[in-house]
Amino acid sequence: MALSLFSFRPQHDMAALPAYSGTDLGVSYTAAQTRFKIWAPTAGTVKLRLYAKGDGGKALKTIDMAKGVNGTWQTVIKGDIQNKYYTIQTQVDGKWLLESPDMYAKAVGVNGKRGMVVNLAATDPAGWVADKKPVQKNFTDIIIYELHVRDASIAANSGIKHKGKFLGLTESGTKSPQGEATGLDHIKQLGVTHVHLLPSFDYNSVDESKNAPQYNWGYDPLNYNVPEGSYATDAYNGQVRIREFKQMVQAIHRKGLRVILDVVYNHTADVDHSNFTQAVPGYFYRHNADGSYANATACGNETASENAMVRKFMIESVVYWAKEYHLDGFRFDLMGVHDMETMNQISAALHKVDPTIFLYGEGWTVGASPLPEELRAVKKNTLKLDKIAAFGDDMRDGLRGPFNDVKQKGFVSGAPNTAESVKFGIVGAVQHPQINYKLVNYSKAPWAKEPYQSICYVSCHDDPTLFDRLRLSNPTASEADLIKMDELANGIVLTSQGVTFLHAGEEMLRTKNLVGNSYNSPDSINELNWSRKSRYKAVFNYYQQMIALRKNHPAFRMPSAAMIRQHLEFIDTGDPMVIGYQLKDHANGDKWKNILVLINGDTKGKGVKIPKGNWVMAVKGSQVNEEAKAAFDADVLEMKGTALYILFEK
């Protein structure tokens, strides 16, 4: 049934609709009674239907909901109706819309078509109340590992029993055929601090009723406050996905890691069938002047975060996830679609729950939006955002080459005129007197007020993997040379100021067979192939050692821009392909007095004059040795091509 949204719009001034300020929208369950309450100010009639199952069968009961204050409708059912399923249906301008869960639904049946009345306390795994977040001092201490739930365990060689499931990330002692740690043990062994999960709320593109292999990244939201059913062992029982998501968070916390959820409030999968449209057609989306859907997301619609009830929903949704699921951070997809006021209110609400929650997002859109850019949370407005970070694509593309041309090289492949963009990332995108902003590829001014607002990375789930990108832009390079480029790229990331972000599998040269936009490619493209860990064990060791170096040396993760300006000083190497800088005077309390970082992006070796000092070499290309003692007493450092060198003075 196709709905014509705009047949409703002339009769209702969306801006004039009453907002509801209460905190009780959705389903409120107790054993004595359950209250259903929705906001649907344009509805003339609203019906609630109860069902025995999440799909199929006739309604057990149909109830007319009563109109309340400020556009709300509600009904109360006496007695214990735990585990019953429900739908809500509105009549707007004389037309019945679709039966659907309410937008606040916390549990659903298979494929999210019916909500479920759930006792959330009954979904808590043993020990959940005692679940503790790992200690976190500063945001700049964070090292993020971006992971898709299914990718982590689905491969035949993962050694994981619950393949493709939330429970796959609870298993310990799992091994590859070669005997290497896989899954959660591998992530712990690598040394990162946070696991960023690609969208794991209930999404639209995978049919949860089928056991056949299906794949999607999950950027097509259906029910925002419910875990995805295809990642659960039983998609039909709404309790199971909730309990297993909590078990996953609990297991990750017990390993000393924190959990970030990728959230997608910028659009819905399908406007005509969305829960938003069934409640208040037209209200939750932005429109162009001609009434058509605005499309800054390139997904056919964009949500109107500036509208009071959209803002309210977003805030209450993330707070719910933070409290009910003990989450430690959120990554906002296409954050540049959202207005800054909403993002700042989200930050304030979440940091009341837990001041250590970390927030970041993509500071861009895919297309134009009718909401003026000066009001939106785009990258250049990060300075106006409160405790929210943005992805640093300046450094990313400086290192590897531009996003819109995979054949172009970057700094690590010897491309000229890229060093300043890399230096911009090294200082965490903050104001620094030695950066020539005219030469930075995208940003002609600093956009981070403090370094924790800058996500330092070279690749993520989007676009080819780092190893694939280097293969595409360097088609004649040997594998040995590609490995040097790969290690140099993330060696720079792991020694830069700001917050470090790694794409899962980079530490074993992950490949997707050169497929870039693999959002719906099969497992054979997307899965983590755990045999690569033993094949490229030296690369894994390098990543592990560089992560340890960052964690052991606070000079690489200074918490303030003022400290960076005081302690980080670039040196003139006399070569546009060689970047050099010092971290001076026990930066951020580091045990090393002075640290000298030299980076050769050229494929050719270079001799670089270094400052006088009692230097000891800790990193020489792929060799990492923090405990080195032998003095380096030459005036000139002979650098190999495509290599990172780190020297220190005690």
Side-chain angles (χ1 to χ4, degrees), residues 535-549:
R535 180 178 172 185
Y536 298 109
K537 190 63 186 293
V539 175
F540 173 81
N541 290 341
Y542 174 80
Y543 274 75
Q544 184 188 47
Q545 290 166 344
M546 290 300 292
I547 288 168
L549 178 77

Side-chain angles (χ1 to χ4, degrees), residues 583-605:
L583 301 168
K584 301 165 69 176
D585 304 321
H586 298 287
N588 196 22
D590 204 296
K591 66 184 180 185
W592 289 347
K593 181 185 178 187
N594 295 314
I595 301 171
L596 176 63
V597 181
L598 290 160
I599 310 161
N600 183 11
D602 205 325
T603 53
K604 302 183 187 119

Side-chain angles (χ1 to χ4, degrees), residues 129-176:
V129 175
D131 176 58
K132 278 201 174 77
K133 295 166 177 271
V135 174
Q136 173 184 290
K137 186 181 175 187
N138 294 311
F139 289 139
T140 47
D141 297 338
I142 292 171
I143 303 171
I144 297 166
Y145 189 80
E146 186 206 36
L147 180 68
H148 186 276
V149 169
R150 187 175 174 92
D151 294 354
S153 57
I154 198 67
N157 62 11
S158 71
I160 294 170
K161 178 184 170 188
H162 295 98
K163 293 189 189 303
K165 306 296 183 185
F166 293 132
L167 291 183
L169 283 168
T170 68
E171 297 179 35
S172 280
T174 61
K175 304 277 186 188
S176 71

Side-chain angles (χ1 to χ4, degrees), residues 560-574:
S560 76
M563 193 184 288
I564 291 170
R565 286 188 285 271
Q566 181 184 347
H567 293 282
L568 192 156
E569 182 181 350
F570 288 100
I571 60 174
D572 183 4
T573 65

Side-chain angles (χ1 to χ4, degrees), residues 182-195:
T182 63
L184 186 53
D185 284 354
H186 165 87
I187 300 168
K188 170 70 175 174
Q189 181 187 35
L190 184 61
V192 296
T193 66
H194 287 59
V195 179

